Amino acid sequence: MKQQLVFKALADGTRRDILRVLRSGSKSAGELSEEFSITKASLSHHLALLLSAELVRRERRGQQLIYSLNSSVAEEVMAILFGLFSHKEDS
Amino acid sequence: MKQQLVFKALADGTRRDILRVLRSGSKSAGELSEEFSITKASLSHHLALLLSAELVRRERRGQQLIYSLNSSVAEEVMAILFGLFSHKEDS
DNA sequence: TAGATATTTAGACTATTATCTAAATATCTA
DNA sequence: TAGATATTTAGATAATAGTCTAAATATCTA
């Protein structure tokens, strides 16, 4: 996991919102775009960043590209946060 | 806690490094600056962002300003990540 | 209180990022 | 295969962010 990519990806509110929307189930790019007031092109840009951070997965279903959460990376992020904030002598 | 401030603060590698350095104990701005190759002014800028996100605390000791971790915010961040990545029907 | 030390603030510059429109690519179906 | 649909990519633009130097502020001490 590339730490810098993950934290940059999480830094944007729209991208965090995308993750929240995907909590209720996988969605195509088009379905996702209905939830946001930005253009499909901008949304695609955000999805590309989430993908490169491996926070979401993508698979093609016919003409559609379906996006879904990749929860395993969340666990890694939390492990890093534990590392950032736990005092050294504590553990 | 202001989510946007926290995630923006964590998005920069230097700031994450500052948090890591502070794991081994509180440090003054000057002591911190010895660990980094940027100017004191730039470091001060990063510390201001970490402060505004409440990821660190600051107290004055004479001429020095001492910075230390604020671990409780880390727990909040992790709770948010759980929220972002856990599937809705799971819980 | 004057000078030294510690740190921040102000202002400028450059790089990165979020957004848009227009064009390109991929897939399906008649 | 032509046209329609779904999505991404390219290129441009405006806002944001990281860094620097120089100046300002706060505290200590002789």
Side-chain angles (χ1 to χ4, degrees), chain A residues 7-71:
Chain A
F7 282 107
K8 286 279 184 191
L10 290 172
D12 183 79
T14 297
R15 288 193 290 269
R16 291 196 304 280
D17 287 338
I18 292 171
L19 295 176
R20 287 193 190 92
V21 168
L22 290 179
R23 285 181 63 202
S24 54
S26 304
K27 281 195 164 48
S28 71
E31 288 169 333
L32 277 171
S33 81
E34 292 167 16
E35 308 271 346
F36 298 90
S37 52
I38 58 180
T39 63
K40 286 177 197 289
S42 296
L43 185 67
S44 181
H45 164 73
H46 287 305
L47 289 170
L49 292 184
L50 288 170
L51 259 183
S52 75
E54 298 182 88
L55 292 169
V56 302
R57 302 177 202 276
R58 173 171 77 178
E59 62 178 325
R60 180 172 285 280
R61 191 147 68 211
Q63 288 157 289
Q64 303 182 355
L65 289 168
I66 309 293
Y67 288 87
S68 55
L69 289 180
N70 180 4
S71 306

